[in-house]
Amino acid sequence: MLNAIINFFKSLNNNSHPGEIAHAASIGVLLGFLPKDNALWYILFIFFLFVRINKAVYLLVILGIGTFAFSLDNLFDKIGYAVLTFEKLTPIFSSLLETPFVAFTNFNNTIVMGSLVFGILAYFPVYLLARLFVKLWRSTLAPKISSLKIWQAIKKLPFVNKIFSVSEKISEVTKR
């Protein structure tokens, strides 16, 4: 977990393409909102591990959003109910339920469908905000933070220095 946090800040400061970071944040939001107790979540999670995105951002956003996503269940329930009871989609949902293994995704659960639709609708705004944040971070915030005296003092602490050195060794091993 600590390595993911360190890699997150490294990716903000290095030559990672801002689009990779923004897509990772958007996909992380989508999966963070989805309930984790169904096959759909696991299928999407594994699928996106093979996509070229920043994995540290992906995992941290899933964890961050997942911690409070349950508080939006009433909203997801209303959205899911509206989608699942939309008359023109009923034949599609009926045929999907008859398809083997599709029912394991729990797409017919109002909270699952609502969170999926909400996550898909949130994808583009989150992408734009994440790209803007990366640009702002690299141009303005990172130089200001690195010049702060408190940051210089924190970096000199033996424990923090050890964490950075271990993280660099782990990064070297994973690049091979």
Side-chain angles (χ1 to χ4, degrees), residues 35 37 76-77 80-81 84 105-114:
D37 60 350
F76 296 154
D77 184 48
Y81 183 78
L84 290 171
T105 63
N106 283 348
F107 77 90
N108 58 336
N109 182 319
T110 56
I111 293 176
V112 172
M113 180 58 75

Side-chain angles (χ1 to χ4, degrees), residues 55-163:
K55 303 302 188 276
V57 173
Y58 173 65
L59 295 173
L60 287 175
V61 171
I62 288 173
L63 289 173
I65 296 295
T67 57
F68 73 87
F70 67 91
S71 64
L72 298 173
D73 279 352
N74 288 333
L75 173 66
F76 296 154
D77 184 48
K78 290 175 185 174
I79 294 170
Y81 183 78
V83 171
L84 290 171
T85 58
F86 188 64
E87 197 171 309
K88 294 185 180 186
L89 295 176
T90 303
I92 296 170
F93 293 142
S94 296
S95 64
L96 282 174
L97 275 175
E98 295 171 6
T99 306
F101 301 109
V102 174
F104 291 126
T105 63
N106 283 348
F107 77 90
N108 58 336
N109 182 319
T110 56
I111 293 176
V112 172
M113 180 58 75
S115 61
L116 179 64
V117 169
F118 188 83
I120 291 170
L121 292 175
Y123 189 93
F124 190 65
V126 170
Y127 177 83
L128 291 176
L129 288 172
R131 279 200 73 137
L132 181 66
F133 174 75
V134 170
K135 184 178 180 181
L136 180 68
W137 177 266
R138 289 180 178 174
S139 65
T140 310
L141 296 175
K144 287 182 180 177
I145 290 174
S146 64
S147 66
L148 290 175
K149 290 182 181 180
I150 191 160
W151 176 249
Q152 299 299 326
I154 290 172
K155 280 177 63 176
K156 290 181 182 177
L157 292 173
F159 178 71
V160 175
N161 199 3
K162 186 75 167 175
I163 290 173

